[in-house]
Amino acid sequence: MKVEFEKVLPGEIEKRSFEIITEELDQKGICLDEKLAPVIKRVIHTTADFDYAESLYFSEGVLEAAEQAIRQGACIVTDTRMAMSGINKRTLAKFGGEVYNFMADEDVARIARENGTTRAVACMDKAAQIDRPLIFAIGNAPTALIRLYELIRDGKIAPKLIIGVPVGFVNVVFAKELIMQTDIPCIVARGRKGGSNVAAAICNGILYGMSDGR
């Protein structure tokens, strides 16, 4: 049996992928907000999951707040090495920012054991000591979001942006709802879906959407 496939040059694959995403969204009758579309489409491109076209929550003015923070040199804190690896650090560095992940740090492991918490919780406490504007990209640990909520409530941290997209079943929906109740600009994947790849995709969608991004 002869198999037909679309011949696309390597350098054109991403462009063609986004064209297909746009075509399929049109076929589904989904019209995205013009400002939000680049971020949503990048998440769909990363996951091949069109549910994100309707499940991603964006607080009012969140992209403008995110871009302003990045231009001011904001750093991104992730809860996994995978998310850290996926974020375009070169583009972020153009604005003076860095990406942090503390999950493998010895002091984080020790404090988590002593306090009987997850490493993700200890990471949030460590991040709260950083004297720089911060963006949190959480794609795995709902406990990180819960701890962030507590730190915000207690006036110990004021993130410029929270990307809350952990995946799973235990406390995931609850943790996301907590973040949406704060006054912090946020992008949240409602429901159980998410992941480190989604967190990185949202970060990159914001970075690439900036006029002087890559």
Side-chain angles (χ1 to χ4, degrees):
M1 181 177 67
K2 185 178 180 180
V3 178
E4 295 291 339
F5 65 93
E6 189 172 355
K7 296 180 181 178
V8 183
L9 294 173
E12 297 290 318
I13 291 175
E14 182 174 291
K15 178 183 176 183
R16 179 60 186 134
S17 295
F18 276 88
E19 290 173 350
I20 293 171
I21 290 168
T22 301
E23 291 166 5
E24 293 199 19
L25 285 170
D26 289 342
Q27 291 168 8
K28 296 174 185 293
I30 298 174
C31 183
L32 300 179
D33 181 284
E34 185 178 350
K35 290 183 179 180
L36 307 180
V39 175
I40 296 171
K41 288 181 181 180
R42 187 157 293 278
V43 172
I44 295 172
H45 176 257
T46 297
T47 62
D49 189 342
F50 282 84
D51 284 354
Y52 286 107
E54 297 176 325
S55 66
L56 281 178
Y57 166 82
F58 296 79
S59 65
E60 187 69 27
V62 64
L63 293 186
E64 291 82 357
E67 291 184 7
Q68 182 180 15
I70 290 169
R71 293 185 194 283
Q72 293 173 348
C75 295
I76 299 175
V77 178
T78 73
D79 64 329
T80 65
R81 299 287 294 181
M82 179 179 176
M84 181 182 185
S85 297
I87 295 170
N88 192 314
K89 289 172 280 296
R90 180 177 297 178
T91 300
L92 182 63
K94 291 180 181 179
F95 303 100
E98 302 175 65
V99 183
Y100 296 127
N101 180 269
F102 306 122
M103 289 295 287
D105 292 7
E106 292 183 6
D107 59 333
V108 164
R110 185 189 71 254
I111 292 170
R113 283 195 306 271
E114 292 173 353
N115 294 338
T117 67
T118 65
R119 289 194 184 195
V121 167
C123 285
M124 298 303 102
D125 288 330
K126 184 168 182 174
Q129 306 305 313
I130 300 173
D131 188 23
R132 295 186 68 176
L134 296 177
I135 292 170
F136 287 86
I138 308 301
N140 182 67
T143 55
L145 288 186
I146 294 170
R147 184 55 180 157
L148 272 178
Y149 173 83
E150 293 171 344
L151 291 167
I152 293 166
R153 178 197 62 197
D154 296 341
K156 295 180 178 179
I157 195 170
K160 297 298 183 181
L161 166 68
I162 298 175
I163 297 168
V165 293
V167 59
F169 298 91
V170 180
N171 290 326
V172 168
V173 175
F174 169 75
K176 293 173 179 178
E177 293 291 334
L178 281 180
I179 295 304
M180 288 190 286
Q181 291 174 20
T182 72
D183 294 328
I184 303 299
C186 67
I187 300 173
V188 174
R190 289 192 178 98
R192 296 170 170 174
K193 291 184 179 182
S196 297
N197 57 334
V198 175
I202 292 171
C203 290
N204 289 336
I206 294 169
L207 288 166
Y208 298 161
M210 296 172 69
S211 60
D212 50 347
R214 66 176 176 180

mmCIF file of all heavy atoms in Angstrom, residues 190-211:
data_model
loop_
_atom_site.group_PDB
_atom_site.id
_atom_site.type_symbol
_atom_site.label_atom_id
_atom_site.label_comp_id
_atom_site.label_asym_id
_atom_site.label_seq_id
_atom_site.Cartn_x
_atom_site.Cartn_y
_atom_site.Cartn_z
ATOM 1 N N ARG A 190 -6.906 24.998 33.761
ATOM 2 C CA ARG A 190 -7.988 24.461 34.578
ATOM 3 C C ARG A 190 -8.072 22.943 34.425
ATOM 4 O O ARG A 190 -7.818 22.395 33.361
ATOM 5 C CB ARG A 190 -9.325 25.070 34.165
ATOM 6 C CG ARG A 190 -9.507 26.533 34.538
ATOM 7 C CD ARG A 190 -10.969 26.891 34.343
ATOM 8 N NE ARG A 190 -11.264 28.260 34.713
ATOM 9 C CZ ARG A 190 -11.354 29.257 33.839
ATOM 10 N NH1 ARG A 190 -11.144 29.027 32.564
ATOM 11 N NH2 ARG A 190 -11.633 30.477 34.243
ATOM 12 N N GLY A 191 -8.452 22.285 35.524
ATOM 13 C CA GLY A 191 -8.608 20.840 35.472
ATOM 14 C C GLY A 191 -7.333 20.098 35.795
ATOM 15 O O GLY A 191 -6.413 20.639 36.406
ATOM 16 N N ARG A 192 -7.266 18.844 35.374
ATOM 17 C CA ARG A 192 -6.154 17.961 35.728
ATOM 18 C C ARG A 192 -4.981 18.036 34.770
ATOM 19 O O ARG A 192 -3.883 17.584 35.099
ATOM 20 C CB ARG A 192 -6.650 16.511 35.778
ATOM 21 C CG ARG A 192 -7.678 16.241 36.862
ATOM 22 C CD ARG A 192 -8.268 14.853 36.671
ATOM 23 N NE ARG A 192 -9.085 14.454 37.816
ATOM 24 C CZ ARG A 192 -9.802 13.345 37.856
ATOM 25 N NH1 ARG A 192 -9.826 12.543 36.796
ATOM 26 N NH2 ARG A 192 -10.503 13.036 38.934
ATOM 27 N N LYS A 193 -5.200 18.570 33.590
ATOM 28 C CA LYS A 193 -4.142 18.549 32.575
ATOM 29 C C LYS A 193 -3.078 19.608 32.838
ATOM 30 O O LYS A 193 -3.320 20.614 33.480
ATOM 31 C CB LYS A 193 -4.732 18.751 31.188
ATOM 32 C CG LYS A 193 -5.562 17.579 30.691
ATOM 33 C CD LYS A 193 -6.029 17.818 29.274
ATOM 34 C CE LYS A 193 -6.833 16.627 28.758
ATOM 35 N NZ LYS A 193 -7.267 16.826 27.361
ATOM 36 N N GLY A 194 -1.901 19.355 32.279
ATOM 37 C CA GLY A 194 -0.788 20.278 32.405
ATOM 38 C C GLY A 194 0.516 19.543 32.206
ATOM 39 O O GLY A 194 0.583 18.555 31.483
ATOM 40 N N GLY A 195 1.559 20.021 32.855
ATOM 41 C CA GLY A 195 2.852 19.353 32.766
ATOM 42 C C GLY A 195 3.983 20.337 32.600
ATOM 43 O O GLY A 195 3.781 21.521 32.289
ATOM 44 N N SER A 196 5.203 19.849 32.804
ATOM 45 C CA SER A 196 6.388 20.694 32.678
ATOM 46 C C SER A 196 6.545 21.234 31.268
ATOM 47 O O SER A 196 7.005 22.370 31.074
ATOM 48 C CB SER A 196 7.632 19.885 33.076
ATOM 49 O OG SER A 196 7.554 19.492 34.431
ATOM 50 N N ASN A 197 6.170 20.415 30.278
ATOM 51 C CA ASN A 197 6.267 20.877 28.892
ATOM 52 C C ASN A 197 5.298 22.029 28.625
ATOM 53 O O ASN A 197 5.607 22.957 27.876
ATOM 54 C CB ASN A 197 6.015 19.727 27.914
ATOM 55 C CG ASN A 197 4.663 19.054 28.115
ATOM 56 O OD1 ASN A 197 4.095 19.067 29.209
ATOM 57 N ND2 ASN A 197 4.154 18.433 27.073
ATOM 58 N N VAL A 198 4.144 21.991 29.274
ATOM 59 C CA VAL A 198 3.170 23.074 29.120
ATOM 60 C C VAL A 198 3.690 24.352 29.781
ATOM 61 O O VAL A 198 3.579 25.447 29.220
ATOM 62 C CB VAL A 198 1.810 22.667 29.722
ATOM 63 C CG1 VAL A 198 0.822 23.839 29.668
ATOM 64 C CG2 VAL A 198 1.234 21.467 28.984
ATOM 65 N N ALA A 199 4.275 24.216 30.967
ATOM 66 C CA ALA A 199 4.847 25.379 31.660
ATOM 67 C C ALA A 199 5.918 26.043 30.800
ATOM 68 O O ALA A 199 5.948 27.276 30.668
ATOM 69 C CB ALA A 199 5.434 24.945 33.003
ATOM 70 N N ALA A 200 6.798 25.233 30.213
ATOM 71 C CA ALA A 200 7.860 25.770 29.361
ATOM 72 C C ALA A 200 7.281 26.406 28.102
ATOM 73 O O ALA A 200 7.746 27.464 27.655
ATOM 74 C CB ALA A 200 8.848 24.672 28.998
ATOM 75 N N ALA A 201 6.264 25.778 27.533
ATOM 76 C CA ALA A 201 5.656 26.310 26.310
ATOM 77 C C ALA A 201 5.033 27.672 26.557
ATOM 78 O O ALA A 201 5.129 28.578 25.713
ATOM 79 C CB ALA A 201 4.604 25.336 25.788
ATOM 80 N N ILE A 202 4.393 27.854 27.705
ATOM 81 C CA ILE A 202 3.796 29.143 28.027
ATOM 82 C C ILE A 202 4.881 30.207 28.180
ATOM 83 O O ILE A 202 4.756 31.323 27.656
ATOM 84 C CB ILE A 202 2.940 29.035 29.302
ATOM 85 C CG1 ILE A 202 1.703 28.171 29.027
ATOM 86 C CG2 ILE A 202 2.517 30.430 29.791
ATOM 87 C CD1 ILE A 202 0.895 27.828 30.253
ATOM 88 N N CYS A 203 5.950 29.866 28.871
ATOM 89 C CA CYS A 203 7.063 30.805 29.011
ATOM 90 C C CYS A 203 7.599 31.207 27.645
ATOM 91 O O CYS A 203 7.819 32.402 27.372
ATOM 92 C CB CYS A 203 8.189 30.178 29.842
ATOM 93 S SG CYS A 203 7.809 29.955 31.595
ATOM 94 N N ASN A 204 7.815 30.228 26.787
ATOM 95 C CA ASN A 204 8.360 30.524 25.464
ATOM 96 C C ASN A 204 7.374 31.298 24.607
ATOM 97 O O ASN A 204 7.760 32.174 23.821
ATOM 98 C CB ASN A 204 8.763 29.224 24.764
ATOM 99 C CG ASN A 204 9.992 28.590 25.396
ATOM 100 O OD1 ASN A 204 10.793 29.273 26.037
ATOM 101 N ND2 ASN A 204 10.149 27.293 25.240
ATOM 102 N N GLY A 205 6.082 30.994 24.759
ATOM 103 C CA GLY A 205 5.075 31.734 24.011
ATOM 104 C C GLY A 205 5.106 33.211 24.357
ATOM 105 O O GLY A 205 4.949 34.062 23.485
ATOM 106 N N ILE A 206 5.302 33.502 25.631
ATOM 107 C CA ILE A 206 5.405 34.907 26.061
ATOM 108 C C ILE A 206 6.681 35.537 25.520
ATOM 109 O O ILE A 206 6.660 36.636 24.960
ATOM 110 C CB ILE A 206 5.389 34.987 27.599
ATOM 111 C CG1 ILE A 206 4.029 34.532 28.151
ATOM 112 C CG2 ILE A 206 5.696 36.411 28.059
ATOM 113 C CD1 ILE A 206 3.996 34.331 29.638
ATOM 114 N N LEU A 207 7.803 34.819 25.653
ATOM 115 C CA LEU A 207 9.087 35.359 25.202
ATOM 116 C C LEU A 207 9.091 35.609 23.697
ATOM 117 O O LEU A 207 9.538 36.662 23.238
ATOM 118 C CB LEU A 207 10.218 34.392 25.581
ATOM 119 C CG LEU A 207 10.580 34.316 27.055
ATOM 120 C CD1 LEU A 207 11.461 33.098 27.327
ATOM 121 C CD2 LEU A 207 11.281 35.591 27.500
ATOM 122 N N TYR A 208 8.602 34.651 22.927
ATOM 123 C CA TYR A 208 8.618 34.789 21.474
ATOM 124 C C TYR A 208 7.627 35.831 20.997
ATOM 125 O O TYR A 208 7.769 36.382 19.896
ATOM 126 C CB TYR A 208 8.313 33.455 20.800
ATOM 127 C CG TYR A 208 9.318 32.357 21.091
ATOM 128 C CD1 TYR A 208 8.994 31.011 20.887
ATOM 129 C CD2 TYR A 208 10.597 32.643 21.567
ATOM 130 C CE1 TYR A 208 9.908 30.007 21.143
ATOM 131 C CE2 TYR A 208 11.512 31.644 21.834
ATOM 132 C CZ TYR A 208 11.161 30.332 21.626
ATOM 133 O OH TYR A 208 12.063 29.332 21.902
ATOM 134 N N GLY A 209 6.611 36.100 21.814
ATOM 135 C CA GLY A 209 5.609 37.074 21.420
ATOM 136 C C GLY A 209 6.051 38.510 21.657
ATOM 137 O O GLY A 209 5.397 39.440 21.155
ATOM 138 N N MET A 210 7.142 38.684 22.379
ATOM 139 C CA MET A 210 7.634 40.039 22.639
ATOM 140 C C MET A 210 8.314 40.584 21.402
ATOM 141 O O MET A 210 9.018 39.864 20.697
ATOM 142 C CB MET A 210 8.578 40.017 23.846
ATOM 143 C CG MET A 210 7.867 39.605 25.124
ATOM 144 S SD MET A 210 8.929 39.345 26.557
ATOM 145 C CE MET A 210 9.475 41.010 26.890
ATOM 146 N N SER A 211 8.108 41.830 21.133
ATOM 147 C CA SER A 211 8.559 42.433 19.870
ATOM 148 C C SER A 211 10.047 42.273 19.639
ATOM 149 O O SER A 211 10.495 42.123 18.503
ATOM 150 C CB SER A 211 8.190 43.918 19.828
ATOM 151 O OG SER A 211 8.797 44.609 20.913
#
